[in-house]
Amino acid sequence: MKKFVITLAVALLASAMIFANGAKEVGGVVSTDGSTSMEKVIGSLGEAFMSNNNGVTFTYNPTGSSSGIQAVQEGRCDIGLSSRSLKDAEKANGLKETVLALDGIAIVVNPANPINELSLEQLADVYTGAIKNWKELDGADAEIVLIGREAGSGTRDGFESITNTADKCLYRQELTSTGDVIATVAQNENAIGYASLSAVKDTIKAVKIDGVVPTEESVKDGSYKVQRPFVLVTVENKALSATAQNFFDWILSAEAAPIISKAGAIPVV
């Protein structure tokens, strides 16, 4: 499992270049842990923050939403990253959520699959086994291969909450990253999966849900229903370090919004 950590040598080199351009002398470390779906967004924000703040080191550990929530609870990182809202029990344990951005969950099939649209009801029926063959949806006469994420994944939690299929999905494979889902669907003409909209590539095809194409605009205006928040998780009434607080405040500002958009998510500011 990779870890987004800038090395000391690179940090020193970047710091020297940035200082010459008038970047603020700050220093310190910001550590984040959690959602793999947020990798592109949080990585882009971390790089930009380091570029604007001399001597800062930013780290990101892509362990999944539930693991990130646990990490911040246990004090192993400054900010947890979750691609789902906190549960009541997690809030009761003293955790606080702040929505950074919105993300559509794209329903993806192989490009060779003739299916271009599903209703939310059909999608639920597919994943719970009420619909088992693509021919029932006017597709090929082939068994539908259900691909999903592992237990604890924020993407899975978001998908199952929206489709009302929690503990009912009959997955053929439960994979541990967004990239693995995309790669698996790309290799199997009969597969269907779900993945962060920002991660969709031309190796797979995102289908319409209830006639709506998953785009930034349709997520932002609410017409695309399969969407979830990207959440920053902190401990209630526990102060962040000065550097981590600066990072937290900055990524929620209008200045950071274009970076979030470029990374494929929809900023809430």
Short mmCIF file of all heavy atoms in Angstrom, two decimals, residues 143-217:
data_model
loop_
_atom_site.label_atom_id
_atom_site.label_comp_id
_atom_site.label_asym_id
_atom_site.label_seq_id
_atom_site.Cartn_x
_atom_site.Cartn_y
_atom_site.Cartn_z
N GLU A 143 -24.45 -13.96 -17.50
CA GLU A 143 -24.60 -13.69 -16.08
C GLU A 143 -23.92 -12.37 -15.72
O GLU A 143 -22.82 -12.06 -16.19
CB GLU A 143 -23.98 -14.82 -15.26
CG GLU A 143 -24.10 -14.62 -13.76
CD GLU A 143 -23.35 -15.68 -12.97
OE1 GLU A 143 -22.74 -16.57 -13.61
OE2 GLU A 143 -23.38 -15.61 -11.73
N ILE A 144 -24.57 -11.57 -14.90
CA ILE A 144 -23.99 -10.31 -14.44
C ILE A 144 -22.97 -10.60 -13.34
O ILE A 144 -23.27 -11.28 -12.37
CB ILE A 144 -25.08 -9.36 -13.90
CG1 ILE A 144 -26.12 -9.08 -14.99
CG2 ILE A 144 -24.47 -8.07 -13.39
CD1 ILE A 144 -27.32 -8.29 -14.49
N VAL A 145 -21.77 -10.08 -13.52
CA VAL A 145 -20.70 -10.28 -12.54
C VAL A 145 -20.61 -9.02 -11.68
O VAL A 145 -20.28 -7.94 -12.16
CB VAL A 145 -19.35 -10.54 -13.25
CG1 VAL A 145 -18.23 -10.69 -12.22
CG2 VAL A 145 -19.45 -11.78 -14.13
N LEU A 146 -20.92 -9.18 -10.41
CA LEU A 146 -21.03 -8.04 -9.50
C LEU A 146 -19.69 -7.75 -8.81
O LEU A 146 -19.17 -8.58 -8.07
CB LEU A 146 -22.09 -8.31 -8.44
CG LEU A 146 -23.50 -8.60 -8.96
CD1 LEU A 146 -24.43 -8.95 -7.81
CD2 LEU A 146 -24.03 -7.40 -9.73
N ILE A 147 -19.18 -6.55 -9.07
CA ILE A 147 -17.92 -6.11 -8.50
C ILE A 147 -18.21 -4.98 -7.50
O ILE A 147 -18.98 -4.07 -7.79
CB ILE A 147 -16.95 -5.60 -9.58
CG1 ILE A 147 -16.78 -6.65 -10.70
CG2 ILE A 147 -15.61 -5.22 -8.98
CD1 ILE A 147 -16.22 -7.96 -10.24
N GLY A 148 -17.60 -5.06 -6.34
CA GLY A 148 -17.80 -4.02 -5.34
C GLY A 148 -16.55 -3.79 -4.52
O GLY A 148 -15.49 -4.36 -4.80
N ARG A 149 -16.68 -2.95 -3.51
CA ARG A 149 -15.57 -2.65 -2.62
C ARG A 149 -15.66 -3.49 -1.35
O ARG A 149 -16.68 -4.08 -1.04
CB ARG A 149 -15.55 -1.17 -2.29
CG ARG A 149 -15.15 -0.27 -3.47
CD ARG A 149 -13.68 -0.46 -3.84
NE ARG A 149 -12.83 -0.22 -2.68
CZ ARG A 149 -12.44 0.99 -2.27
NH1 ARG A 149 -12.84 2.07 -2.93
NH2 ARG A 149 -11.67 1.13 -1.22
N GLU A 150 -14.58 -3.49 -0.60
CA GLU A 150 -14.50 -4.27 0.62
C GLU A 150 -15.32 -3.64 1.74
O GLU A 150 -15.64 -2.44 1.70
CB GLU A 150 -13.04 -4.40 1.06
CG GLU A 150 -12.45 -3.20 1.81
CD GLU A 150 -12.13 -1.98 0.97
OE1 GLU A 150 -12.45 -1.98 -0.25
OE2 GLU A 150 -11.59 -1.01 1.52
N ALA A 151 -15.66 -4.44 2.74
CA ALA A 151 -16.36 -3.92 3.91
C ALA A 151 -15.51 -2.83 4.55
O ALA A 151 -14.30 -2.96 4.68
CB ALA A 151 -16.61 -5.05 4.91
N GLY A 152 -16.16 -1.72 4.94
CA GLY A 152 -15.44 -0.59 5.51
C GLY A 152 -15.13 0.49 4.51
O GLY A 152 -14.75 1.60 4.90
N SER A 153 -15.26 0.20 3.23
CA SER A 153 -15.02 1.21 2.20
C SER A 153 -16.11 2.27 2.23
O SER A 153 -17.30 1.96 2.29
CB SER A 153 -14.99 0.54 0.82
OG SER A 153 -15.23 1.47 -0.21
N GLY A 154 -15.71 3.54 2.15
CA GLY A 154 -16.69 4.62 2.09
C GLY A 154 -17.49 4.58 0.81
O GLY A 154 -18.69 4.92 0.80
N THR A 155 -16.87 4.17 -0.29
CA THR A 155 -17.59 4.07 -1.56
C THR A 155 -18.68 3.01 -1.46
O THR A 155 -19.81 3.23 -1.90
CB THR A 155 -16.62 3.71 -2.70
OG1 THR A 155 -15.49 4.56 -2.65
CG2 THR A 155 -17.31 3.86 -4.05
N ARG A 156 -18.35 1.87 -0.87
CA ARG A 156 -19.35 0.81 -0.69
C ARG A 156 -20.47 1.28 0.24
O ARG A 156 -21.66 1.07 -0.07
CB ARG A 156 -18.68 -0.44 -0.11
CG ARG A 156 -19.68 -1.53 0.29
CD ARG A 156 -18.96 -2.81 0.58
NE ARG A 156 -19.80 -3.79 1.26
CZ ARG A 156 -19.47 -5.08 1.41
NH1 ARG A 156 -18.32 -5.52 0.95
NH2 ARG A 156 -20.27 -5.92 2.02
N ASP A 157 -20.11 1.91 1.33
CA ASP A 157 -21.13 2.38 2.27
C ASP A 157 -22.05 3.38 1.59
O ASP A 157 -23.28 3.33 1.75
CB ASP A 157 -20.46 3.03 3.48
CG ASP A 157 -21.46 3.42 4.55
OD1 ASP A 157 -21.77 2.58 5.40
OD2 ASP A 157 -21.94 4.56 4.52
N GLY A 158 -21.46 4.30 0.79
CA GLY A 158 -22.27 5.28 0.08
C GLY A 158 -23.19 4.62 -0.93
O GLY A 158 -24.39 4.93 -1.00
N PHE A 159 -22.65 3.70 -1.72
CA PHE A 159 -23.44 3.00 -2.74
C PHE A 159 -24.59 2.24 -2.10
O PHE A 159 -25.75 2.33 -2.53
CB PHE A 159 -22.54 2.05 -3.53
CG PHE A 159 -23.29 1.14 -4.46
CD1 PHE A 159 -23.71 1.59 -5.70
CD2 PHE A 159 -23.60 -0.16 -4.08
CE1 PHE A 159 -24.42 0.75 -6.55
CE2 PHE A 159 -24.31 -1.00 -4.93
CZ PHE A 159 -24.72 -0.53 -6.16
N GLU A 160 -24.30 1.46 -1.06
CA GLU A 160 -25.33 0.62 -0.45
C GLU A 160 -26.37 1.45 0.29
O GLU A 160 -27.55 1.07 0.34
CB GLU A 160 -24.68 -0.41 0.48
CG GLU A 160 -23.83 -1.43 -0.28
CD GLU A 160 -23.24 -2.50 0.63
OE1 GLU A 160 -23.36 -2.38 1.87
OE2 GLU A 160 -22.65 -3.46 0.10
N SER A 161 -25.96 2.59 0.84
CA SER A 161 -26.93 3.46 1.51
C SER A 161 -27.89 4.07 0.51
O SER A 161 -29.11 4.11 0.72
CB SER A 161 -26.19 4.57 2.28
OG SER A 161 -25.41 4.03 3.32
N ILE A 162 -27.35 4.54 -0.60
CA ILE A 162 -28.17 5.20 -1.62
C ILE A 162 -29.13 4.22 -2.29
O ILE A 162 -30.29 4.54 -2.57
CB ILE A 162 -27.27 5.87 -2.68
CG1 ILE A 162 -26.49 7.03 -2.04
CG2 ILE A 162 -28.09 6.39 -3.86
CD1 ILE A 162 -25.30 7.47 -2.85
N THR A 163 -28.66 3.00 -2.53
CA THR A 163 -29.48 1.99 -3.21
C THR A 163 -30.29 1.13 -2.24
O THR A 163 -31.04 0.26 -2.68
CB THR A 163 -28.59 1.07 -4.08
OG1 THR A 163 -27.59 0.47 -3.25
CG2 THR A 163 -27.93 1.87 -5.20
N ASN A 164 -30.11 1.37 -0.95
CA ASN A 164 -30.81 0.61 0.09
C ASN A 164 -30.52 -0.88 -0.02
O ASN A 164 -31.41 -1.73 0.05
CB ASN A 164 -32.32 0.86 0.02
CG ASN A 164 -33.05 0.41 1.27
OD1 ASN A 164 -32.49 0.39 2.36
ND2 ASN A 164 -34.31 0.02 1.12
N THR A 165 -29.23 -1.20 -0.20
CA THR A 165 -28.83 -2.60 -0.38
C THR A 165 -27.82 -3.06 0.67
O THR A 165 -27.14 -4.08 0.46
CB THR A 165 -28.22 -2.80 -1.78
OG1 THR A 165 -27.09 -1.90 -1.94
CG2 THR A 165 -29.24 -2.54 -2.88
N ALA A 166 -27.71 -2.35 1.78
CA ALA A 166 -26.73 -2.73 2.81
C ALA A 166 -26.97 -4.17 3.28
O ALA A 166 -28.10 -4.56 3.57
CB ALA A 166 -26.82 -1.77 3.99
N ASP A 167 -25.89 -4.95 3.29
CA ASP A 167 -25.91 -6.35 3.72
C ASP A 167 -26.75 -7.25 2.80
O ASP A 167 -27.08 -8.38 3.17
CB ASP A 167 -26.43 -6.48 5.16
CG ASP A 167 -25.60 -5.71 6.16
OD1 ASP A 167 -24.37 -5.74 6.03
OD2 ASP A 167 -26.18 -5.09 7.06
N LYS A 168 -27.05 -6.76 1.60
CA LYS A 168 -27.86 -7.54 0.66
C LYS A 168 -27.13 -7.82 -0.66
O LYS A 168 -27.61 -8.62 -1.47
CB LYS A 168 -29.17 -6.81 0.34
CG LYS A 168 -30.05 -6.52 1.56
CD LYS A 168 -31.26 -5.69 1.14
CE LYS A 168 -32.11 -5.28 2.34
NZ LYS A 168 -33.24 -4.39 1.93
N CYS A 169 -26.02 -7.15 -0.88
CA CYS A 169 -25.33 -7.27 -2.17
C CYS A 169 -24.62 -8.62 -2.30
O CYS A 169 -23.96 -9.08 -1.35
CB CYS A 169 -24.32 -6.14 -2.34
SG CYS A 169 -25.07 -4.52 -2.52
N LEU A 170 -24.76 -9.23 -3.46
CA LEU A 170 -24.18 -10.54 -3.72
C LEU A 170 -22.93 -10.40 -4.58
O LEU A 170 -22.88 -10.80 -5.74
CB LEU A 170 -25.21 -11.43 -4.41
CG LEU A 170 -26.54 -11.59 -3.67
CD1 LEU A 170 -27.51 -12.43 -4.50
CD2 LEU A 170 -26.33 -12.20 -2.29
N TYR A 171 -21.89 -9.82 -4.01
CA TYR A 171 -20.67 -9.54 -4.76
C TYR A 171 -19.95 -10.81 -5.21
O TYR A 171 -19.82 -11.76 -4.44
CB TYR A 171 -19.70 -8.72 -3.91
CG TYR A 171 -20.21 -7.36 -3.51
CD1 TYR A 171 -20.54 -7.08 -2.18
CD2 TYR A 171 -20.36 -6.35 -4.45
CE1 TYR A 171 -21.00 -5.82 -1.81
CE2 TYR A 171 -20.83 -5.09 -4.08
CZ TYR A 171 -21.14 -4.83 -2.77
OH TYR A 171 -21.61 -3.59 -2.40
N ARG A 172 -19.47 -10.78 -6.45
CA ARG A 172 -18.56 -11.82 -6.90
C ARG A 172 -17.15 -11.53 -6.38
O ARG A 172 -16.43 -12.44 -5.98
CB ARG A 172 -18.54 -11.87 -8.44
CG ARG A 172 -17.53 -12.85 -9.04
CD ARG A 172 -17.98 -14.28 -8.93
NE ARG A 172 -19.19 -14.50 -9.70
CZ ARG A 172 -19.23 -14.78 -11.02
NH1 ARG A 172 -18.09 -14.87 -11.71
NH2 ARG A 172 -20.38 -14.97 -11.64
N GLN A 173 -16.79 -10.24 -6.42
CA GLN A 173 -15.49 -9.83 -5.90
C GLN A 173 -15.66 -8.56 -5.07
O GLN A 173 -16.39 -7.66 -5.46
CB GLN A 173 -14.49 -9.55 -7.03
CG GLN A 173 -14.10 -10.76 -7.85
CD GLN A 173 -13.04 -10.42 -8.87
OE1 GLN A 173 -11.93 -10.02 -8.54
NE2 GLN A 173 -13.37 -10.59 -10.13
N GLU A 174 -14.95 -8.50 -3.94
CA GLU A 174 -14.92 -7.32 -3.09
C GLU A 174 -13.47 -6.83 -3.09
O GLU A 174 -12.60 -7.46 -2.49
CB GLU A 174 -15.40 -7.65 -1.68
CG GLU A 174 -16.83 -8.16 -1.64
CD GLU A 174 -17.27 -8.55 -0.25
OE1 GLU A 174 -16.98 -7.81 0.71
OE2 GLU A 174 -17.91 -9.62 -0.11
N LEU A 175 -13.23 -5.71 -3.74
CA LEU A 175 -11.87 -5.24 -3.99
C LEU A 175 -11.51 -4.08 -3.06
O LEU A 175 -12.37 -3.38 -2.55
CB LEU A 175 -11.72 -4.84 -5.46
CG LEU A 175 -12.10 -5.96 -6.45
CD1 LEU A 175 -12.04 -5.46 -7.88
CD2 LEU A 175 -11.17 -7.16 -6.26
N THR A 176 -10.21 -3.88 -2.89
CA THR A 176 -9.75 -2.96 -1.85
C THR A 176 -9.40 -1.56 -2.35
O THR A 176 -8.92 -0.74 -1.56
CB THR A 176 -8.52 -3.53 -1.13
OG1 THR A 176 -7.48 -3.79 -2.08
CG2 THR A 176 -8.88 -4.82 -0.41
N SER A 177 -9.63 -1.26 -3.62
CA SER A 177 -9.36 0.09 -4.09
C SER A 177 -10.22 0.41 -5.30
O SER A 177 -10.70 -0.48 -6.02
CB SER A 177 -7.88 0.27 -4.46
OG SER A 177 -7.59 -0.37 -5.70
N THR A 178 -10.41 1.70 -5.53
CA THR A 178 -11.14 2.18 -6.71
C THR A 178 -10.47 1.70 -7.99
O THR A 178 -11.13 1.26 -8.93
CB THR A 178 -11.20 3.72 -6.68
OG1 THR A 178 -11.93 4.13 -5.52
CG2 THR A 178 -11.87 4.27 -7.93
N GLY A 179 -9.14 1.78 -8.02
CA GLY A 179 -8.40 1.36 -9.20
C GLY A 179 -8.61 -0.10 -9.54
O GLY A 179 -8.71 -0.47 -10.72
N ASP A 180 -8.69 -0.94 -8.52
CA ASP A 180 -8.91 -2.37 -8.75
C ASP A 180 -10.29 -2.63 -9.35
O ASP A 180 -10.46 -3.50 -10.22
CB ASP A 180 -8.77 -3.14 -7.44
CG ASP A 180 -7.34 -3.25 -6.96
OD1 ASP A 180 -6.42 -3.02 -7.78
OD2 ASP A 180 -7.13 -3.57 -5.78
N VAL A 181 -11.30 -1.88 -8.90
CA VAL A 181 -12.65 -2.03 -9.45
C VAL A 181 -12.64 -1.68 -10.93
O VAL A 181 -13.18 -2.42 -11.77
CB VAL A 181 -13.66 -1.15 -8.69
CG1 VAL A 181 -15.00 -1.13 -9.41
CG2 VAL A 181 -13.83 -1.63 -7.26
N ILE A 182 -12.05 -0.55 -11.26
CA ILE A 182 -12.01 -0.10 -12.66
C ILE A 182 -11.27 -1.11 -13.53
O ILE A 182 -11.72 -1.46 -14.63
CB ILE A 182 -11.37 1.29 -12.74
CG1 ILE A 182 -12.31 2.33 -12.13
CG2 ILE A 182 -11.03 1.66 -14.19
CD1 ILE A 182 -11.73 3.72 -12.01
N ALA A 183 -10.13 -1.59 -13.05
CA ALA A 183 -9.35 -2.55 -13.84
C ALA A 183 -10.11 -3.85 -14.05
O ALA A 183 -10.07 -4.43 -15.15
CB ALA A 183 -8.02 -2.82 -13.13
N THR A 184 -10.82 -4.31 -13.04
CA THR A 184 -11.56 -5.57 -13.14
C THR A 184 -12.72 -5.45 -14.12
O THR A 184 -12.94 -6.34 -14.95
CB THR A 184 -12.07 -5.99 -11.75
OG1 THR A 184 -10.96 -6.15 -10.87
CG2 THR A 184 -12.85 -7.29 -11.83
N VAL A 185 -13.47 -4.37 -14.05
CA VAL A 185 -14.59 -4.15 -14.98
C VAL A 185 -14.07 -3.99 -16.40
O VAL A 185 -14.68 -4.47 -17.37
CB VAL A 185 -15.43 -2.93 -14.55
CG1 VAL A 185 -16.48 -2.60 -15.61
CG2 VAL A 185 -16.09 -3.18 -13.21
N ALA A 186 -12.93 -3.34 -16.56
CA ALA A 186 -12.34 -3.15 -17.89
C ALA A 186 -11.94 -4.46 -18.54
O ALA A 186 -11.88 -4.56 -19.77
CB ALA A 186 -11.13 -2.23 -17.79
N GLN A 187 -11.72 -5.49 -17.72
CA GLN A 187 -11.26 -6.77 -18.25
C GLN A 187 -12.37 -7.80 -18.42
O GLN A 187 -12.13 -8.89 -18.92
CB GLN A 187 -10.19 -7.34 -17.31
CG GLN A 187 -8.92 -6.51 -17.27
CD GLN A 187 -7.99 -6.89 -16.12
OE1 GLN A 187 -8.22 -7.86 -15.41
NE2 GLN A 187 -6.95 -6.10 -15.93
N ASN A 188 -13.60 -7.45 -18.01
CA ASN A 188 -14.69 -8.43 -18.04
C ASN A 188 -15.93 -7.81 -18.66
O ASN A 188 -16.53 -6.90 -18.08
CB ASN A 188 -14.99 -8.92 -16.62
CG ASN A 188 -15.95 -10.09 -16.58
OD1 ASN A 188 -16.80 -10.25 -17.45
ND2 ASN A 188 -15.82 -10.92 -15.56
N GLU A 189 -16.35 -8.29 -19.82
CA GLU A 189 -17.49 -7.71 -20.55
C GLU A 189 -18.80 -7.83 -19.78
O GLU A 189 -19.74 -7.07 -20.04
CB GLU A 189 -17.63 -8.37 -21.92
CG GLU A 189 -16.52 -8.04 -22.90
CD GLU A 189 -16.80 -8.57 -24.28
OE1 GLU A 189 -17.96 -9.00 -24.54
OE2 GLU A 189 -15.87 -8.57 -25.11
N ASN A 190 -18.87 -8.73 -18.83
CA ASN A 190 -20.13 -8.97 -18.13
C ASN A 190 -20.15 -8.36 -16.72
O ASN A 190 -21.10 -8.56 -15.97
CB ASN A 190 -20.40 -10.47 -18.04
CG ASN A 190 -20.52 -11.10 -19.42
OD1 ASN A 190 -21.17 -10.54 -20.30
ND2 ASN A 190 -19.89 -12.24 -19.60
N ALA A 191 -19.11 -7.62 -16.38
CA ALA A 191 -18.99 -7.07 -15.03
C ALA A 191 -19.68 -5.72 -14.91
O ALA A 191 -19.85 -4.98 -15.87
CB ALA A 191 -17.52 -6.94 -14.65
N ILE A 192 -20.07 -5.42 -13.68
CA ILE A 192 -20.57 -4.10 -13.32
C ILE A 192 -19.94 -3.73 -11.98
O ILE A 192 -19.72 -4.60 -11.13
CB ILE A 192 -22.11 -4.07 -13.22
CG1 ILE A 192 -22.63 -2.64 -12.97
CG2 ILE A 192 -22.63 -5.02 -12.15
CD1 ILE A 192 -24.15 -2.51 -13.09
N GLY A 193 -19.62 -2.46 -11.81
CA GLY A 193 -19.00 -2.02 -10.57
C GLY A 193 -19.37 -0.58 -10.28
O GLY A 193 -20.15 0.04 -11.01
N TYR A 194 -18.82 -0.06 -9.21
CA TYR A 194 -19.04 1.34 -8.87
C TYR A 194 -17.71 1.95 -8.44
O TYR A 194 -16.86 1.28 -7.85
CB TYR A 194 -20.11 1.51 -7.80
CG TYR A 194 -19.96 0.64 -6.57
CD1 TYR A 194 -19.06 0.96 -5.56
CD2 TYR A 194 -20.73 -0.51 -6.42
CE1 TYR A 194 -18.93 0.17 -4.44
CE2 TYR A 194 -20.60 -1.32 -5.29
CZ TYR A 194 -19.70 -0.97 -4.30
OH TYR A 194 -19.55 -1.75 -3.19
N ALA A 195 -17.54 3.22 -8.78
CA ALA A 195 -16.27 3.89 -8.49
C ALA A 195 -16.48 5.40 -8.43
O ALA A 195 -17.45 5.93 -8.98
CB ALA A 195 -15.24 3.56 -9.58
N SER A 196 -15.57 6.06 -7.77
CA SER A 196 -15.61 7.51 -7.70
C SER A 196 -15.62 8.10 -9.11
O SER A 196 -14.87 7.68 -9.99
CB SER A 196 -14.39 8.02 -6.94
OG SER A 196 -14.29 9.43 -7.02
N LEU A 197 -16.49 9.07 -9.34
CA LEU A 197 -16.59 9.71 -10.65
C LEU A 197 -15.26 10.26 -11.11
O LEU A 197 -14.91 10.19 -12.29
CB LEU A 197 -17.64 10.83 -10.58
CG LEU A 197 -17.85 11.68 -11.84
CD1 LEU A 197 -18.25 10.82 -13.02
CD2 LEU A 197 -18.90 12.75 -11.57
N SER A 198 -14.48 10.80 -10.17
CA SER A 198 -13.20 11.41 -10.53
C SER A 198 -12.19 10.38 -11.03
O SER A 198 -11.19 10.75 -11.66
CB SER A 198 -12.61 12.13 -9.31
OG SER A 198 -12.37 11.23 -8.25
N ALA A 199 -12.44 9.10 -10.78
CA ALA A 199 -11.49 8.06 -11.16
C ALA A 199 -11.87 7.36 -12.47
O ALA A 199 -11.12 6.51 -12.96
CB ALA A 199 -11.38 7.02 -10.05
N VAL A 200 -13.01 7.70 -13.06
CA VAL A 200 -13.48 7.03 -14.27
C VAL A 200 -12.55 7.30 -15.45
O VAL A 200 -12.16 8.45 -15.70
CB VAL A 200 -14.92 7.46 -14.62
CG1 VAL A 200 -15.34 6.92 -15.97
CG2 VAL A 200 -15.88 6.98 -13.54
N LYS A 201 -12.19 6.23 -16.15
CA LYS A 201 -11.30 6.33 -17.31
C LYS A 201 -12.01 5.81 -18.55
O LYS A 201 -13.11 5.26 -18.47
CB LYS A 201 -10.03 5.50 -17.05
CG LYS A 201 -9.28 5.87 -15.79
CD LYS A 201 -8.11 4.93 -15.56
CE LYS A 201 -7.34 5.28 -14.30
NZ LYS A 201 -6.22 4.35 -14.07
N ASP A 202 -11.36 5.97 -19.69
CA ASP A 202 -11.99 5.52 -20.93
C ASP A 202 -11.91 4.01 -21.11
O ASP A 202 -12.39 3.46 -22.10
CB ASP A 202 -11.39 6.23 -22.14
CG ASP A 202 -9.88 6.06 -22.27
OD1 ASP A 202 -9.31 5.25 -21.51
OD2 ASP A 202 -9.28 6.73 -23.12
N THR A 203 -11.32 3.30 -20.14
CA THR A 203 -11.28 1.84 -20.20
C THR A 203 -12.59 1.22 -19.74
O THR A 203 -12.80 0.00 -19.91
CB THR A 203 -10.14 1.29 -19.32
OG1 THR A 203 -10.30 1.79 -17.98
CG2 THR A 203 -8.79 1.72 -19.86
N ILE A 204 -13.47 2.04 -19.13
CA ILE A 204 -14.78 1.56 -18.69
C ILE A 204 -15.83 2.59 -19.12
O ILE A 204 -15.51 3.66 -19.62
CB ILE A 204 -14.83 1.32 -17.15
CG1 ILE A 204 -14.16 2.47 -16.38
CG2 ILE A 204 -14.12 0.04 -16.80
CD1 ILE A 204 -15.04 3.56 -16.00
N LYS A 205 -17.09 2.25 -18.93
CA LYS A 205 -18.19 3.13 -19.34
C LYS A 205 -19.10 3.39 -18.16
O LYS A 205 -19.56 2.47 -17.49
CB LYS A 205 -18.98 2.46 -20.49
CG LYS A 205 -20.17 3.27 -20.96
CD LYS A 205 -20.82 2.63 -22.18
CE LYS A 205 -21.43 1.28 -21.90
NZ LYS A 205 -22.16 0.72 -23.07
N ALA A 206 -19.35 4.68 -17.89
CA ALA A 206 -20.29 5.05 -16.83
C ALA A 206 -21.69 5.12 -17.43
O ALA A 206 -21.92 5.78 -18.45
CB ALA A 206 -19.90 6.40 -16.23
N VAL A 207 -22.65 4.45 -16.80
CA VAL A 207 -24.02 4.43 -17.33
C VAL A 207 -24.86 5.52 -16.67
O VAL A 207 -24.56 6.00 -15.58
CB VAL A 207 -24.69 3.05 -17.10
CG1 VAL A 207 -23.89 1.95 -17.78
CG2 VAL A 207 -24.84 2.76 -15.62
N LYS A 208 -25.91 5.91 -17.36
CA LYS A 208 -26.87 6.86 -16.79
C LYS A 208 -27.68 6.16 -15.70
O LYS A 208 -27.95 4.96 -15.79
CB LYS A 208 -27.83 7.36 -17.87
CG LYS A 208 -27.21 8.12 -19.02
CD LYS A 208 -28.28 8.50 -20.03
CE LYS A 208 -27.71 9.18 -21.25
NZ LYS A 208 -28.77 9.46 -22.27
N ILE A 209 -28.06 6.93 -14.70
CA ILE A 209 -28.97 6.42 -13.67
C ILE A 209 -30.23 7.27 -13.69
O ILE A 209 -30.16 8.50 -13.52
CB ILE A 209 -28.32 6.44 -12.27
CG1 ILE A 209 -27.08 5.55 -12.25
CG2 ILE A 209 -29.33 6.00 -11.21
CD1 ILE A 209 -27.34 4.08 -12.51
N ASP A 210 -31.36 6.62 -13.95
CA ASP A 210 -32.64 7.34 -14.10
C ASP A 210 -32.52 8.46 -15.13
O ASP A 210 -33.07 9.56 -14.97
CB ASP A 210 -33.11 7.90 -12.75
CG ASP A 210 -33.57 6.81 -11.80
OD1 ASP A 210 -34.06 5.77 -12.27
OD2 ASP A 210 -33.45 7.00 -10.57
N GLY A 211 -31.79 8.16 -16.20
CA GLY A 211 -31.68 9.10 -17.32
C GLY A 211 -30.65 10.20 -17.14
O GLY A 211 -30.50 11.04 -18.04
N VAL A 212 -29.93 10.20 -16.03
CA VAL A 212 -28.98 11.29 -15.76
C VAL A 212 -27.54 10.79 -15.86
O VAL A 212 -27.17 9.79 -15.24
CB VAL A 212 -29.22 11.89 -14.35
CG1 VAL A 212 -28.23 13.02 -14.08
CG2 VAL A 212 -30.65 12.40 -14.23
N VAL A 213 -26.75 11.51 -16.64
CA VAL A 213 -25.33 11.18 -16.78
C VAL A 213 -24.57 11.68 -15.55
O VAL A 213 -24.81 12.80 -15.09
CB VAL A 213 -24.75 11.85 -18.05
CG1 VAL A 213 -23.25 11.56 -18.18
CG2 VAL A 213 -25.49 11.39 -19.29
N PRO A 214 -23.67 10.88 -15.00
CA PRO A 214 -22.88 11.36 -13.86
C PRO A 214 -21.82 12.36 -14.31
O PRO A 214 -20.86 12.01 -14.99
CB PRO A 214 -22.24 10.08 -13.31
CG PRO A 214 -22.17 9.15 -14.48
CD PRO A 214 -23.37 9.47 -15.33
N THR A 215 -22.02 13.61 -13.97
CA THR A 215 -21.07 14.68 -14.29
C THR A 215 -20.95 15.59 -13.07
O THR A 215 -21.75 15.51 -12.13
CB THR A 215 -21.54 15.54 -15.47
OG1 THR A 215 -22.76 16.21 -15.10
CG2 THR A 215 -21.79 14.69 -16.72
N GLU A 216 -19.99 16.48 -13.10
CA GLU A 216 -19.85 17.45 -12.01
C GLU A 216 -21.11 18.28 -11.86
O GLU A 216 -21.59 18.53 -10.74
CB GLU A 216 -18.66 18.37 -12.28
CG GLU A 216 -18.44 19.41 -11.21
CD GLU A 216 -17.20 20.24 -11.42
OE1 GLU A 216 -16.23 19.73 -12.03
OE2 GLU A 216 -17.18 21.40 -10.97
N GLU A 217 -21.69 18.68 -12.98
CA GLU A 217 -22.88 19.52 -12.94
C GLU A 217 -24.08 18.77 -12.36
O GLU A 217 -24.83 19.31 -11.54
CB GLU A 217 -23.22 20.02 -14.36
CG GLU A 217 -22.22 21.00 -14.94
CD GLU A 217 -20.92 20.35 -15.38
OE1 GLU A 217 -20.91 19.11 -15.61
OE2 GLU A 217 -19.91 21.06 -15.47
#
